[in-house]
Structure formats: C-alpha cells, structure tokens
C-alpha cells in the first residue's frame, strides 16, 4: 500500500468567456494519492470515509482503496468482485468499475467485462452487495448493455439525480474497438463513440427503465473517441458531464466536460479541456483522464501516467472543485 500527501498548486489559465457554461481551471490538487497502478478510479463517500475502486490490477478484478481524509489512501487486500462471483457472460478483464449506494442500503457495482462471445469487446454488467467492500455478486446471467455490433460498451457510471431521486447509468459505446487504425482504433474516424444515458430502477439499481439515449458524441476536436463519462449536478442546477477524449495511451488524453440544463441534454462542450498533459506542479501530469466526480461536483479523482508515453502504470490523483454559477474551479 502507498500513501502520499496532496498539495494545492495555483495554475492560471485563460477563461473561455464566450460559452454559456464555462468550466475553468485555476488550481488543482496533485499527488499522486495512490502512487501505484490504480487506473480508471471511481470513488464514493460514506459518512467520513472514502472508498475507491479501479480497473483490474494487482491480481484483483476490482481493487479497493480506503481513505478518511480523501488525501492519503490505503489499498486493501481483498478483491471487491472475486472471480468466483463473475457471471457466465464475461471472462473477466474488468474495466472502470463504479459503485453507488441505493436508498435501501444496497451497494451496486457497475462494471465492464470482456465478452465471452467476442473477447475483443466489453459489455456492461451490475453486481450487488450489502457491504461497500463486497464481495459483489452478479445480479444477472446477462449483461446490462452489450451492443457488440457497435463495438461493445465500457466505462459505466451511476448517478442519482438529487432533484428527482431518479437513478441513471452513463456509459460509452466503444466504437473504436471496431478498428480503423491508430493507437486505440478509429484513426480514420469511421465509428462513433457516443456516451449513453440509461435510466435505472432505484429499487434494485439493475433493472433498466426504457431505452438508453445518446447524450454526447465525439467530433473532430476529440480525436478518435470520447469515454469515461461522469455526471454531476451543481448547487445551481447545472448538469456537468465530465469525460475524456483522445487515446488513453497518448499524451493527448484529457479530462473534458460539457454542460446542460437537463440531464438528457443537449450538452454543450467546453472550449478546451479541464486537464491536459503538462498540467500540475512543474507540468508533471502525463495523460490525465478517467475522472470520477462527486455527484455535487465538489471532489474528483482521476488517473495519470507515472511515466510519459507509458500507460502501464496509471496513478490516482485527487482534487477539489468549487462551482460559482456556471464556472467550475479545480
């Protein structure tokens, strides 16, 4: 296990004043807070304790970390989703898990796993537990979302709308997995990679309500893809959809965002990313991305590469956000 302290480092950026919803950056909290591989992190706060979950690593399907101050984290010994609990449709390879707590106290783990039908693609599933640490048990023998003909689905993120109590799941259609050249596919821009919004039952967290709808897609400024959605709602009522664009294994990977007055959109992308390579103290961040944001847009976690140009070790960083109207300061 690893510990580190987080420092706030002022960074000045030009504000994008011409947009109706501007997210600007003035300072970030840097670390890393977990100085080992903890990619695609997601976190949840329970009382005075924070829990984080990551993509498969360290011999675990879903690693877990714990903190009492959000800055110093301990990686736990157990696997939140042990192999014996995986459903029959997946071979493992769990990416970008996310955990929410339902009103009835049940914890739901959303995850993407390798499809047995086509091991070049992932599908999204759900598992439940009475304990935040698990072990989580698959809720179904079938995935929640598995559009293999479109490239599969990855990067699930749960969000309970504070205005309505409705539960939503966002995820990415992994169109770039269909090919097209480049370091992560779709260099020829022949496939879409939309971020989808699926309403879910707040009673069990695993039953879809209606059909998923696309809320954002890539354009030329995003490179071959967008991914890693995370929804938040500011105290002022603005929905903020955070996401990453470009390939995770290049220095163009980032944390970007879009805003809307309705959870279903339309979402307006910002003029520039929130975090890019070269941000942080002495320009130390390499390929920051995969952010998970608190539902009220006050805190967030993300990963960045330990070494420039090498995505084999993606460390977890933490940060704080403040919202003033439609401006978010990190």
């Amino acid at each position: 296990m690893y510990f580190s302290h987080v420092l706030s480092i002022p960074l000045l950026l030009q504000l994008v004043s011409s947009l109706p919803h501007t997210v600007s950056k003035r300072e970030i909290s840097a670390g890393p807070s977990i100085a080992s591989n903890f990619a695609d992190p997601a976190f949840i706060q329970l009382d005075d304790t924070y829990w984080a979950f990551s993509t498969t690593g360290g011999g675990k399907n879903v690693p877990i970390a714990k903190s009492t101050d959000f800055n110093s984290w301990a990686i736990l010994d157990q696997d939140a989703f042990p192999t014996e609990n995986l459903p029959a449709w997946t071979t493992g390879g769990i990416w970008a898990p996310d955990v929410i707590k339902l009103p009835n106290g049940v914890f739901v783990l959303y995850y993407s796993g390798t499809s047995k039908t086509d091991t070049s693609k992932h599908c999204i599933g759900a598992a439940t537990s009475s304990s935040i640490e698990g072990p989580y048990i698959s809720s179904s023998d079938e995935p929640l979302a598995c559009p293999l003909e479109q490239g599969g689905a990855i990067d699930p993120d749960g969000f309970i709308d504070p205005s309505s109590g409705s539960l939503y799941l966002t995820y990415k259609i992994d169109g770039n997995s269909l090919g097209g050249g480049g370091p992560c596919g779709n260099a020829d821009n022949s496939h879409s990679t939309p971020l989808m919004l699926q309403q879910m039952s707040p009673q069990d967290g695993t039953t879809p309500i209606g059909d998923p709808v696309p809320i954002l897609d890539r354009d030329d400024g995003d490179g071959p893809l967008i991914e890693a959605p995370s929804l938040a709602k500011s105290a002022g009522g603005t929905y903020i959809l955070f996401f990453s664009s470009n390939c995770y294994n290049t220095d163009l990977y980032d944390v970007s965002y879009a805003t809307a007055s309705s959870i279903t959109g339309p979402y307006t992308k910002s003029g520039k990313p929130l975090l890019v390579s070269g941000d942080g103290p002495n320009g130390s961040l390499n390929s920051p991305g995969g952010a998970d944001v608190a539902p009220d847009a006050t805190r967030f976690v993300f990963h960045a590469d330990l070494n420039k140009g090498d995505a084999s070790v993606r460390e977890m960083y933490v940060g704080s956000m403040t919202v003033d109207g439609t401006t978010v300061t990190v």
Side-chain angles (χ1 to χ4, degrees):
M1 64 184 65
Y2 297 82
F3 300 85
S4 63
H5 296 285
V6 177
L7 303 175
S8 293
I9 309 295
L11 295 175
L12 299 179
L13 290 183
Q14 182 179 1
L15 300 180
V16 185
S17 60
S18 60
L19 296 173
H21 298 290
T22 300
V23 182
S24 63
K25 176 179 54 187
R26 295 185 180 177
E27 64 179 31
I28 65 169
S29 297
S33 287
I34 296 180
S36 61
N37 196 36
F38 205 82
D40 306 312
F43 83 98
I44 181 173
Q45 180 179 0
L46 300 178
D47 299 321
D48 295 327
T49 302
Y50 302 89
W51 305 82
F53 304 82
S54 85
T55 280
T56 292
K60 302 179 182 68
N61 290 318
V62 177
I64 317 171
K66 181 180 179 181
S67 174
T68 56
D69 63 5
F70 198 64
N71 295 331
S72 299
W73 293 77
I75 297 178
L76 306 186
D77 291 333
Q78 65 263 43
D79 187 342
F81 197 21
T83 299
E84 60 268 23
N85 290 0
L86 297 179
W89 62 262
T90 182
T91 62
I94 306 301
W95 290 355
D98 187 54
V99 172
I100 64 165
K101 184 180 181 181
L102 299 177
N104 61 12
V106 172
F107 295 95
V108 182
L109 170 75
Y110 297 114
Y111 63 94
S112 55
T114 303
S115 169
K116 279 187 179 177
T117 302
D118 181 348
T119 56
S120 70
K121 298 176 178 62
H122 276 59
C123 300
I124 287 173
T128 59
S129 175
S130 60
S131 167
I132 182 66
E133 298 180 35
Y136 288 83
I137 299 174
S138 179
S139 61
S140 173
D141 292 332
E142 299 295 330
L144 279 178
C146 194
L148 294 178
E149 71 286 353
Q150 296 176 274
I154 64 171
D155 297 347
D157 182 77
F159 174 72
I160 297 177
D161 191 333
S163 301
S164 63
S166 297
L167 171 61
Y168 294 90
L169 180 68
T170 56
Y171 60 90
K172 171 205 176 185
I173 299 292
D174 199 23
N176 54 291
S177 73
L178 294 172
C184 57
N186 207 34
D188 60 3
N189 297 324
S190 59
H191 305 291
S192 63
T193 62
L195 305 182
M196 307 298 289
L197 183 71
Q198 171 69 66
Q199 189 170 359
M200 304 293 294
S201 166
Q203 279 71 49
D204 61 20
T206 62
T207 302
I209 298 175
D211 295 324
V213 296
I215 54 174
L216 199 69
D217 204 346
R218 55 165 295 279
D219 57 35
D220 290 343
D222 298 309
L225 61 87
I226 57 174
E227 61 186 15
S230 181
L231 268 173
K233 188 177 186 181
S234 72
T238 297
Y239 292 94
I240 307 171
L241 177 62
F242 295 88
F243 63 94
S244 288
S245 63
N246 292 289
C247 293
Y248 80 98
N249 53 1
T250 71
D251 61 6
L252 295 177
Y253 205 53
D254 62 32
V255 178
S256 291
Y257 52 88
T259 55
S261 59
S262 167
I263 193 167
T264 56
Y267 283 86
T268 301
K269 292 179 182 177
S270 65
K272 59 173 61 178
L274 186 63
L275 288 176
V276 297
S277 293
D279 284 340
N282 301 314
S284 60
L285 287 181
N286 300 310
S287 307
D292 186 52
V293 181
D296 60 356
T298 55
R299 296 177 185 266
F300 72 114
V301 297
F302 65 99
H303 72 237
D305 295 348
L306 170 62
N307 296 309
K308 181 178 175 62
D310 180 1
S312 63
V313 177
R314 290 173 281 173
E315 301 172 311
M316 190 183 87
Y317 290 73
V318 303
S320 298
M321 294 180 172
T322 58
V323 181
D324 181 10
T326 56
T327 298
V328 178
T329 302
V330 175

